[in-house]
Amino acid sequence: MKKHILFVDDEPNVLQGLQRMLRSLREEWEMTFVGSGAEALQRLAQAPFDVIVSDMRMPHMDGAQLLTEVMQRHPEVVRIVLSGQANQEVVMKAVGPTHQYLAKPCDPESLKALVNQTSALRELLTDATLKGLVTSMKSLPSLPSLFLKIVDALKTPDASIQQVVQIVAQDVGMTAKILQLVNSAFFGLRRRVDDLPRAISLLGFDAIKSLVLSLHVFSQCDQAMLSKYALHTLWDHSFATGACARLIARLEKQAQPVVDAVVTAGMLHDCGKLVLATNLPELYGQALTLAREQGLPSWEAERATFGATHAEVGAYLLGIWGLPNTIVEALAFHHCPAQSQEKTLSPLTIVHTANALAHEQTPAAESLAFLLDLDYLTMLGQADRLPEWREQCMTVLQGGGQ
Amino acid sequence: MTNLIPTVGEQAEEMPCLNERQLRSLIEHTSDIITILNNDGAIRYESPSITHVLGYEPKELLGKDAFDLVHPDDRAATRQFFTHAIQAGKAGRPRQFRCRHKDGSWRVLEAISSLFLEEARPIGFIVNSRDITERKQLETQLAFAQKMESIGQLAAGIAHEINTPAQYVGDNIRFLQDAFCDLEKLLKSYEQLLDENKNETVAPALIAEIDATTAAVDLAYLMEEIPQAIQQSLQGIGRVTKIVQAMKEFSHPGTEEKVETDLNKAIETTLTVARNEWKYVADMVSDFDPALPPVRCLPGELNQVVLNLVVNAAHAIADVVGNNGKGTITVGTRHAGDWVEIRVSDTGAGIPEAIRTKIFDPFFTTKGIGKGTGQGLAIAHSVIADKHGGAISYETEMGKGTTFLIRLPFNPSTSQTEAVL
């Protein structure tokens, strides 16, 4: 099926240039080019689009306004900014409603790859409501205690970047948001970064301060919701999975970039649960009940209830936020690694195993048989490594440290 | 300040008379330097504060020529200024000049003078001077800060102005690359056709192949788009060149002296450089007097003033139109007798009554904290009035807009001069 892409720019030469440059993709993409925000909204009302790529500074309605409007009226559309703006203040205005940011001049390969990648992700979720729900999320809610901590730290004049790293690393929502910002060209960086401390130092203290305190890129999880769905265990489990993943990656002598990727993927692997619980709390409650009463693994209960699992929902969100593919892939298949194309020891393998081992340690653990695909590990020739991984992970998790 | 000393004249009867001891104490405790000079400039009296400011003991200066202490570059003008004051028989406006400190460094003094009378006959003058070195440094720093602020803002705008053509020039060239591959394919088939035709062995399959390729590459589209892609790429390069050139002219590094300047061109350059600041909120109308003769001025500083006015105009309009539509900025020049006029008009909200008296004050700003140093108009005033002997004024109407009017004398060296320090 052809992807429908809408391009918006007030400079006719830019539109025509894009049109010519992307002509070679005319068999794969159905492209529409318009010169203003008003016209873009009109087109969106007439026909469905998968992705909108908009300029930032335009007269009458600027890119931030347009994308905010699109987010409200057509939440399912993926929103990308393509801007030559160099003024950081103006750039920051776009952070809220924008999934990804590309800087002009942008080479055609990046643009093609980005649009292709985001539209490919859309196949992860078939349900339009669920798709719209994920695309309309500006942030993942943070644990209230951590949220207060980060706000306090950023208000303290002598706070250090290490403190910020330490707090953000404990929170699923903050980690995801920071990686989104750094993996997009908002700050002219646009590199594939999957390591949180590096992401934070690239953004810098001042940028994070204004993002958090003035632009409110982090949000707080509702306290009642936390206790109702026992969500607080999600943070502990995520952190533990990250720690186990790091340990396994090191035991297998993986290169540092792989270690960084699996720690982040481990931390974020269940973020889809946050999306579901905060947006569709009643259905989420039903899924929990279903799992408990019928002894189903959580993702099967989710599929029965939502038509999709938290793994797919989370992968889709991080995918359209522009996080590196290894992380998105590890998230998407963390329950069913055998379905992935990757048939060697990969970040996915590590996150899959780390998740199972971390669950084993919690009181309300789902059984390991549910969680661990031994056939998959055997196929990869890693099954005999499991006892050592488990032993080491037990030591670390019971010791409470890393 | 000298007027406060009641012995000088007319106010004496309203003030209690001071005896000599009191007067001496008054003079010795003031932080200003009080100097009495003979008509020839020899120092007759120096108050003790000179030691604090310039390091000399009053005694060691007695009888010396006061102008020897003045910086050689300022000496002639300063002497002339005091001589003028004596001839005119009245005190002049405050005068700034550099004086040598005993340690060899230079301090900037600001002085006023009045006649020193004996039996109604001028026998010298009283000079009251104070050290304004730090104030001068601060002023220079502020002017520099303002310039850096507007250049920083401009730099972001210029990056945007360059990034846009860079995007479409790149896209077009990429397209031309693809298009050439298509054309090459077609051209090869035609070459073959030519060969076969020469040998009179044209295969019908070849004709069919050419038809198919022509359709596949969409030759009609390519023939229409290629010239446009080239045309627009050249346009884009032209835009980049223009803005880079304008930036170079705008900054005018190092022009410390007044030079003959084509004001129309200078203003046009400034408008190009600032384009990103106004183009989203306003249409620009330029109304230049084509017969405007060259004007002697400091082009770099004048550009800065026009830039400040245009940016203010754009902000004034943005406050009114927000994101709904555009206003108009009109920039014009006119030749009016001995003066040249520059007008910058906006269709903004006008300047509220309450702040009209403050807009030329340093540090006065209506913009948010961190958005402006509040120096723009203060510096504009100083550049126009102090450095060019001109005048800057405005007319404003609430709801209609504001016009700033700059008047510059044609030949500033013959009009009222106020030396630039």
Side-chain angles (χ1 to χ4, degrees), chain B residues 53-177:
Chain B
V53 177
L54 292 176
Y56 306 99
E57 291 298 326
K59 288 197 289 271
E60 56 182 313
L61 293 176
L62 284 186
K64 300 225 164 102
D65 185 347
F67 295 105
D68 283 349
L69 293 176
V70 176
H71 192 284
D73 293 351
D74 300 343
R75 198 173 291 153
T78 311
R79 192 188 288 275
Q80 192 190 12
F81 174 78
F82 285 108
T83 321
H84 268 292
I86 293 177
Q87 284 163 356
K90 60 177 192 222
R93 291 169 54 195
R95 173 83 199 169
Q96 294 174 8
F97 51 89
R98 285 162 288 181
C99 257
R100 196 201 307 276
H101 190 279
K102 200 175 179 186
D103 67 11
S105 65
W106 295 103
R107 309 293 296 174
V108 183
L109 299 189
E110 183 181 66
I112 51 170
S113 65
S114 50
L115 296 181
F116 185 55
L117 303 171
E118 212 169 71
E119 293 166 358
R121 198 169 51 87
I123 56 158
F125 32 101
I126 304 172
V127 181
N128 194 318
S129 37
R130 63 180 54 161
D131 186 358
I132 57 159
T133 313
E134 263 120 53
R135 195 182 91 197
K136 283 309 268 193
Q137 279 167 354
L138 215 58
E139 281 171 9
T140 313
Q141 281 166 12
L142 269 175
F144 186 68
Q146 206 274 335
K147 186 155 190 173
M148 288 319 286
E149 171 196 314
S150 51
I151 284 179
Q153 185 188 15
L154 278 184
I158 286 165
H160 188 244
E161 287 291 299
I162 290 177
N163 287 340
T164 304
Q167 176 71 41
Y168 65 75
V169 169
D171 288 348
N172 280 324
I173 291 177
R174 199 61 66 126
F175 162 73
L176 290 172
Q177 190 180 33

Side-chain angles (χ1 to χ4, degrees), chain A residues 10-11 13-14 16-18 20-21 23 26 57-60 65 84-86 89 104-106 108-109, chain B residues 159-160 163-164 166-168 171-172 174-175 216-218 221 225 228-229 232 235 239 276 280 323 325 371:
Chain A
D10 64 317
E11 169 69 58
N13 283 359
V14 169
Q16 290 188 32
L18 286 170
R20 291 185 193 116
M21 184 268 288
R23 181 169 169 267
R26 62 193 183 281
R57 278 203 80 174
M58 297 184 284
H60 307 291
Q65 275 179 303
Q85 189 53 251
E89 210 178 306
K104 280 181 195 161
C106 141
E109 279 65 40
Chain B
H160 188 244
N163 287 340
T164 304
Q167 176 71 41
Y168 65 75
D171 288 348
N172 280 324
R174 199 61 66 126
F175 162 73
V217 302
D218 199 349
Y221 175 85
E225 292 293 315
Q228 286 189 47
Q232 289 172 12
Q235 235 177 56
R239 258 175 75 177
N276 202 60
Y280 295 98
N323 271 304
K371 294 280 174 63

Side-chain angles (χ1 to χ4, degrees), chain B residues 131-265:
Chain B
D131 186 358
I132 57 159
T133 313
E134 263 120 53
R135 195 182 91 197
K136 283 309 268 193
Q137 279 167 354
L138 215 58
E139 281 171 9
T140 313
Q141 281 166 12
L142 269 175
F144 186 68
Q146 206 274 335
K147 186 155 190 173
M148 288 319 286
E149 171 196 314
S150 51
I151 284 179
Q153 185 188 15
L154 278 184
I158 286 165
H160 188 244
E161 287 291 299
I162 290 177
N163 287 340
T164 304
Q167 176 71 41
Y168 65 75
V169 169
D171 288 348
N172 280 324
I173 291 177
R174 199 61 66 126
F175 162 73
L176 290 172
Q177 190 180 33
D178 291 349
F180 179 76
C181 288
D182 288 348
L183 290 178
E184 198 182 26
K185 217 183 300 169
L186 204 55
L187 207 55
K188 280 196 173 132
S189 303
Y190 274 114
E191 261 176 2
Q192 201 184 337
L193 179 69
L194 192 64
D195 283 347
E196 291 187 6
N197 193 34
K198 280 177 188 159
N199 304 332
E200 294 182 4
T201 55
V202 176
L206 181 61
I207 307 281
E209 189 194 309
I210 291 178
D211 281 342
T213 313
T214 306
V217 302
D218 199 349
L219 186 63
Y221 175 85
L222 293 182
M223 294 308 281
E224 194 184 321
E225 292 293 315
I226 289 172
Q228 286 189 47
I230 294 172
Q231 176 62 30
Q232 289 172 12
S233 301
L234 291 174
Q235 235 177 56
I237 297 293
R239 258 175 75 177
V240 173
T241 313
K242 187 176 169 197
I243 193 148
V244 171
Q245 185 67 33
M247 192 61 199
K248 221 162 80 188
E249 282 170 25
F250 173 80
S251 52
H252 262 288
T255 12
E256 297 284 319
E257 292 200 358
K258 294 199 175 87
V259 290
E260 299 252 315
T261 304
D262 178 349
L263 275 187
N264 289 345
K265 184 158 183 290

Side-chain angles (χ1 to χ4, degrees), chain A residues 14 30 157 162 176 205 246 251-252 260 278 283-284 291 313 316 323 336 343 374 399:
Chain A
V14 169
E30 181 79 50
Q162 284 73 21
F205 190 86
R246 175 188 287 120
L251 283 173
E252 296 311 310
D260 294 335
T278 49
L283 281 177
Y284 189 72
V313 168
Y316 181 54
L323 266 68
C336 45
K343 301 299 179 211
L374 265 177

Side-chain angles (χ1 to χ4, degrees), chain B residues 395-414:
Chain B
E395 289 161 17
T396 188
E397 192 176 338
M398 295 312 290
K400 289 271 175 64
T402 305
T403 295
F404 275 86
L405 173 65
I406 294 172
R407 285 160 59 86
L408 293 173
F410 247 117
N411 194 344
S413 56
T414 56

